[in-house]
Amino acid sequence: MGTLVCQTCNSTIDHFEDEKVTVLYSKCNCCDDHHTAEEV
């Protein structure tokens, strides 16, 4: 089981199937809309 976590606000975005426990960091939709690359 893997978990997709927002690197900006640390909220859980999604879960996905994986052979081992994995945490991947991405950006959620709310952070993409409200933050620019300069602010992050």
Side-chain angles (χ1 to χ4, degrees):
M1 179 66 117
T3 305
L4 194 59
V5 177
C6 178
Q7 64 185 4
T8 305
C9 66
N10 284 333
S11 63
T12 302
I13 301 170
D14 199 6
H15 297 281
F16 58 92
E17 294 298 320
D18 198 0
E19 293 180 10
K20 54 187 175 183
V21 177
T22 307
V23 176
L24 296 178
Y25 290 91
S26 183
K27 286 187 179 180
C28 62
N29 292 335
C30 65
C31 290
D32 284 339
D33 292 340
H34 293 83
H35 298 288
T36 63
E38 296 173 358
E39 293 177 337
V40 175

